[in-house]
Amino acid sequence: MSASAQQRRIVAQDIPYTRGEILDERGQVLARTVLTYDIVTDPSQSSAFDTFDIPLPDRSVRHVTRDQGIAELAQILGLDVSVAKKALSGSGKFAYVARSVTPEVEQRVSDLRFPGVTSSAVQKREYPLGAVAGNIVGYVNEEMKGAAGVEQTLNDQLTGTPGKRQFEIGADGILIPVAPIEQSKPVNGKNVQLTINSDLQYLAQKAISDSAAQLHAEWANIVIVEAKTGKIRAMADTSPMDPNNPGASKPEDRGVRSVTAAVEPGSTEKSVTAAAALQEGKVQPLTQLEIPPNFTIDGETFNDSFLHGTLHMTFAGVLGYSMNTGTVMVGKDLTAQQRYDYLRKFGIGEKTGIPLPGESTGILASPDKWDVRQQYTVLFGQGVAQTPLQTAMVYQTIANGGVRLKPQLIESTTSADGKATPTQQDAGVRVLTPETDKSLKDILESVVTAGEVQDVKVPGYRVGAKTGTAETATPDGKGLNGYTASLVGIAPMEDPQYVVLVNVQHPQGWIYGISQAQVFNSVMSSTLSTYNVSPSTTPSVALPQKY
């Protein structure tokens, strides 16, 4: 027989790979693929013979009757012989013999070589923890390709290579028993281990969801960052998505708002202004400032969130009581280019590079585009927009001695042969000198010990923090649409380990009476406990706020 004729009788069948698992930092499975097979038959073929041959490893054959073959097939599948015989009889073109059998069982069925019996792979992606980290993990489409989250951004790593099974069929369409089967094994996709701690993720999701519900907020989120590594331990959104049923969530709730939503940071940005002023020698923590009830410069007047007469404040007190007036008084001594450059040094206006879809760069116009007022409002976090993750990474920089790292979400990938490849640690970029950073950390700790956020307490630990409140405009930019309220903190201050950011969009009620201290305290306390961070043994810093 010619080679071309033989080629026409060769049938190729893909052997599916298993998509890689997604796991949390401790190995808890967040996503996995269950591979099963349906055993099917063409009864018109499987009932059209009395005997058939089963090839043996030594290339000899074993002759069996049809009834013997049915009995062996039934035994492999765990079926009653009568059930198997019924499926394999008749004149139809298609029938199920068994559903959802394991790959091992499917291989035994294939080795049996029962004429007219084939298999069909069925893959199902499962998410055992449901909505816990669901927005981060993402989901797959019907073709088993990533459609959101890490499933999408790391689709190439999670995807494997199918194997091949080739066999010959006769003119009647029935498998030729004595013809050799060529088979190559599939290569499964890589497993992806995240830096996320699923227990902390669950706690953070519950805490922020409860808080947002109480405040009737549009949405809210929490970010937990390990200061010295940039590893993300949790990114929790309200309305978390269950990847087992993504269609149950609104499209806007299927992403990770910590990286997709750009909002004005408000007074949390004052730490960037403080960093610039300290490093450029414009001010010291205890520099004395006489602050009027309001401050006017270039025809623009700036007020504080509380009414006051002339106050005698230290620069630490300006941040401790979150004063716009004092911030502008100090910040005006920085050039517009310096203000812009320090925002960029802290990562504002550029993507962090975290492997999640839809990351926003935020909004940071160049100095030549700033109007008269905006050149000053950027000093206290208005006229600039950034993601909650970008804000968290500003404080990671401060917590890490002035060295900014890239946020790390992927701990490692592991190939099908068990070879693990850890994510390379980011070397970081130094933004502040150690001396400047120490001064700034002292100021932030004093915000808690002597300033306006003394309700931010984590028993046993020294904490530094800053609050922020920013107005949000209506879509046409002509009116007020509500507020963004945030709180970001560091602990323990003598050797910072973790940063926790709480962000709430459009809470209802008197905005200056809203505090996220309880949520922060709970989440930071749980984080420090989870990672066995030793309690503080050194005295807290409490810089004078007034003179």
Side-chain angles (χ1 to χ4, degrees), residues 259-283:
V259 304
T260 63
V263 297
E264 288 194 347
S267 293
T268 59
E269 205 84 304
K270 288 174 181 171
S271 292
V272 176
T273 300
L278 289 167
Q279 185 137 306
E280 296 300 324
K282 306 300 182 183
V283 72

Side-chain angles (χ1 to χ4, degrees), residues 421-441:
T421 303
T423 299
Q424 187 173 357
Q425 181 66 50
D426 179 31
V429 176
R430 178 161 291 284
V431 176
L432 303 175
T433 65
E435 295 76 18
T436 296
D437 187 73
K438 173 63 167 60
S439 294
L440 184 53
K441 284 200 290 255

